[in-house]
Amino acid sequence: MKSIKITILGKQYPLKVEESEEESMQRIAGYVDDKFRQYKKELNKQPDTTIMTLAALSIAEELFEERKRNRELNQQEDKVLQNVNESLENFIEEIRE
């Protein structure tokens, strides 16, 4: 494990991550920081806890939408593969006749 520091809204947080995950975690932290700053700019009179909560909900919504899209794509892929398999089976049957 490797110790790193990430910065979100100007505050540093120490984390322990696998070396292979360091770059990814830095990108994730940057994304979270950007989202928090965006909300802070839009809601500058709100306390940081409110801003962080709303930003976290927004990030979670993005995650859920991506998961939904991923499921839909997997379902479409399954249908396409099923059609290809059926077509191949039909083709093989025609050849055998």
Side-chain angles (χ1 to χ4, degrees), residues 18-90:
E18 297 291 334
E19 268 189 59
S20 61
E21 297 173 344
E22 179 181 3
E23 185 179 322
S24 176
M25 186 55 65
Q26 292 289 356
R27 279 195 322 270
I28 292 167
Y31 182 81
V32 170
D33 185 52
D34 287 345
K35 189 65 88 168
F36 283 4
R37 289 181 185 283
Q38 174 189 347
Y39 273 76
K40 189 171 182 77
K41 186 177 179 181
E42 293 172 10
L43 305 167
N44 60 359
K45 301 208 187 295
Q46 296 294 321
D48 282 352
T49 54
T50 300
I51 290 165
M52 291 174 135
T53 300
L54 293 173
L57 287 170
S58 174
I59 292 169
E61 180 182 27
E62 291 174 18
L63 172 64
F64 277 65
E65 286 297 318
E66 286 301 316
R67 284 180 176 171
K68 179 181 175 187
R69 266 183 257 167
N70 192 27
R71 274 192 310 273
E72 290 170 353
L73 286 173
N74 284 336
Q75 289 171 352
Q76 289 175 359
E77 181 181 300
D78 288 345
K79 287 178 183 176
V80 167
L81 288 175
Q82 184 178 0
N83 288 339
V84 167
N85 283 337
E86 289 173 6
S87 294
L88 284 172
E89 287 173 4
N90 290 337

